Amino acid sequence: MKRCIILLYVLVSVSTAHAQMLSLDSCVAMAVRENTQLKIAKIKADMATNTRKAARTKYLPNISATGTYMRTGKQLSILSEDQQNALSNIGTTLANNLGATMQNQQTMMQIMQTAASMGINLTPQHIQQLQEPIANLAKSLNQTGATIAEAFDTDTRNMFGAAVTLKQPLFMGGKIAAGNKMAQIAEEIAQTQVEQAEEDVKFNVENTYYLVVGIEHKKRLADEFASLVAQLSADVSKMVQEGVATRADELKVSVRLNEAQMQQLQAENGLALSKMLLCKLCGLPVNSDISVDTTTVVVGDAMGSFTNNRAELKMLGQAVELYNAKVKTERAEHLPQVALVGGYMVSNPSLFNGFEKKFKGTWNVGLMVNIPIWDWNETGYKVRSAKGQAAIAQLQLTEAEQMIDMQIAQCQFKYDEAQRKLALTNKNFDKAEENLRCANMGFEEGVMTSSDVMMAQTAWLQAKTQVIEAQIEVITAQLALSHAYGN
């Protein structure tokens, strides 16, 4: 019988030699690398990092450039149309006034008398000769007046402008510092979410892996049991031929053999389904041909201490800090804000040298102060709301700590219970194995019937199954306890 069992293990090993052997570490590594939710958590963590970096830039000066163009239907005019006409005809007006004066006889006599008193002999013909220089002077004055009127033409229908502005925050009421603190905490929360997602993936893969290991052992046990029943069936058949056993005994053993083969089939189907689940968690095609290291089933002592390593506690603690920073942010809205501003701007037409259709500009520098005066207590309401959120987060943290304490205690009870159960099942298996050995010896010596052997085989199968289940239960309880500790 032992040779048959050894041969069966050799056949199983050969049949799985071509399958991809997966260790627990390789399964965990593949699952961590391929899990979609973990990838999403990492992307969110990267987004939080970029948000934190963006918040840092609020400390630095902001430089912006602006360009404008405007087309208007009418242009701005400094001089009215009458003033423009007066400037353009100033010489003509002056010449007409002089000409009218010279045509006045009384005025001419006064001019000649004044000249005679000065020793100048001035005749009417001399005065008439002054008209040509006056006309030339009038023309020159008209040109000068037109030039002046044209100089006041603004031509503002096409206006161009550009400016480069620098703004350096000096004091924003603590808003920038609080915003950076919130961005940093948000990044830490995102990183903690990545850790939690990774731990959840590992925990699920480990449990599934040991599920496969347990079903693999049950399948081998089913094969071994089928081999035992098959050996018994062959022995009973020989005894029927020799006339020392009845046909009824042979039928009983045949029925039991069919049941053992059905158990083999059920174990194979269960193993296939569990491997498909493991492949899915590892990111492999569900129909991949894989095998697991069944020697992984090693029962040890659970270790760990409650050191606040749970991701849930970390995130809740970070949430408390986040809402405390939000309180400062809301309070900063009601504090004065001071910023240094400076820049350079150009325009066309420019006004620095009259109205010129040229791009000219100048620099500027100054301080900008914004002091909130009255907002109907909007800031106060927002601060109270933020304080309420912080208080809720603190209460959730306290409640989570209590729930985790209860979870650890429950996991510890289950682990201790699983260890005691394993010890009892090992004792039962030792007795069942000895009972099967005695039944086989009694059957060979003819003092026991095939029914006695089958009963011993069934008891041995149940005891061995309980041992395997207890071993897996101890390991899963150990995993759950370690997971509860946050290790």
Side-chain angles (χ1 to χ4, degrees), residues 92-103:
T92 302
T93 302
L94 179 61
N96 291 336
N97 291 334
L98 288 174
T101 301
M102 292 179 181
Q103 294 296 331

Side-chain angles (χ1 to χ4, degrees), residues 312-329:
E312 298 92 331
L313 295 182
K314 286 184 180 180
M315 287 190 291
L316 287 174
Q318 291 161 347
V320 173
E321 296 181 8
L322 181 66
Y323 288 121
N324 287 332
K326 186 177 180 181
V327 172
K328 296 180 180 179
T329 302

Side-chain angles (χ1 to χ4, degrees), residues 439-461:
N440 288 328
M441 291 178 59
F443 181 73
E444 292 175 358
E445 295 174 358
V447 296
M448 285 190 175
T449 64
S450 59
S451 298
D452 297 330
V453 176
M454 287 190 293
M455 291 178 60
Q457 289 176 344
T458 301
W460 175 87
L461 175 64

Side-chain angles (χ1 to χ4, degrees), residues 14-164:
V14 172
S15 63
T16 59
H18 64 281
Q20 180 182 0
M21 175 63 71
L22 297 180
S23 65
L24 178 59
D25 292 337
S26 62
C27 287
V28 170
M30 285 189 293
V32 170
R33 185 174 61 251
E34 301 295 335
N35 185 264
T36 301
Q37 295 302 320
L38 184 55
K39 290 180 180 179
I40 293 175
K42 290 181 178 179
I43 293 175
K44 289 182 179 180
D46 186 63
M47 293 168 57
T49 300
N50 291 326
T51 302
R52 190 260 306 164
K53 292 180 179 179
R56 290 279 184 182
T57 62
K58 299 298 183 181
Y59 287 112
L60 304 177
N62 180 275
I63 301 175
S64 61
T66 306
T68 60
Y69 167 76
M70 182 179 295
R71 171 71 180 182
T72 59
K74 294 182 179 180
Q75 67 178 7
L76 299 176
S77 179
I78 297 177
L79 300 177
S80 66
E81 293 182 357
D82 293 339
Q83 291 172 335
Q84 292 177 0
N85 292 332
L87 282 173
S88 299
N89 298 307
I90 187 172
T92 302
T93 302
L94 179 61
N96 291 336
N97 291 334
L98 288 174
T101 301
M102 292 179 181
Q103 294 296 331
N104 192 320
Q105 295 295 329
Q106 184 179 357
T107 303
M108 290 181 62
M109 292 299 296
Q110 291 177 354
I111 293 174
M112 288 187 293
Q113 290 176 0
T114 302
S117 64
M118 297 174 63
I120 300 173
N121 186 16
L122 188 63
T123 63
Q125 290 78 12
H126 290 151
I127 296 175
Q128 292 294 331
Q129 291 176 357
L130 293 174
Q131 292 181 354
E132 183 176 357
I134 291 175
N136 293 333
L137 177 61
K139 184 178 180 181
S140 177
L141 289 176
N142 286 339
Q143 293 176 351
T144 302
T147 302
I148 294 174
E150 184 180 358
F152 280 96
D153 185 10
T154 60
D155 192 15
T156 54
R157 289 174 298 176
N158 294 291
M159 299 182 64
F160 300 87
V164 177

Side-chain angles (χ1 to χ4, degrees), residues 168-237:
Q168 172 62 58
L170 299 180
F171 177 73
M172 295 287 113
K175 183 177 181 179
I176 296 179
N180 275 269
K181 182 65 174 179
M182 292 177 64
Q184 181 181 355
I185 296 173
E187 181 184 17
E188 294 173 356
I189 291 176
Q191 292 291 343
T192 305
Q193 288 175 339
V194 172
E195 295 175 3
Q196 183 181 22
E198 185 172 346
E199 289 302 320
D200 291 341
V201 169
K202 291 179 179 179
F203 183 68
N204 292 333
V205 170
E206 288 172 349
N207 277 284
T208 305
Y209 188 89
Y210 286 116
L211 173 65
V212 175
V213 170
I215 297 178
E216 177 70 32
H217 278 275
K218 288 184 179 181
K219 178 183 176 300
R220 294 183 180 181
L221 178 60
D223 294 338
E224 186 177 356
F225 179 71
S227 176
L228 292 175
V229 177
Q231 181 64 40
L232 178 62
S233 177
D235 293 340
V236 171
S237 297

Side-chain angles (χ1 to χ4, degrees), residues 226-266:
S227 176
L228 292 175
V229 177
Q231 181 64 40
L232 178 62
S233 177
D235 293 340
V236 171
S237 297
K238 292 179 181 179
M239 294 173 67
V240 170
Q241 293 176 0
E242 296 175 358
V244 294
T246 64
R247 177 64 177 169
D249 294 332
E250 185 178 17
L251 291 175
K252 289 180 183 179
V253 176
S254 178
V255 171
R256 180 54 58 87
L257 179 60
N258 292 336
E259 293 176 354
Q261 291 173 349
M262 181 60 67
Q263 291 177 352
Q264 278 185 297
L265 179 61
Q266 292 174 348

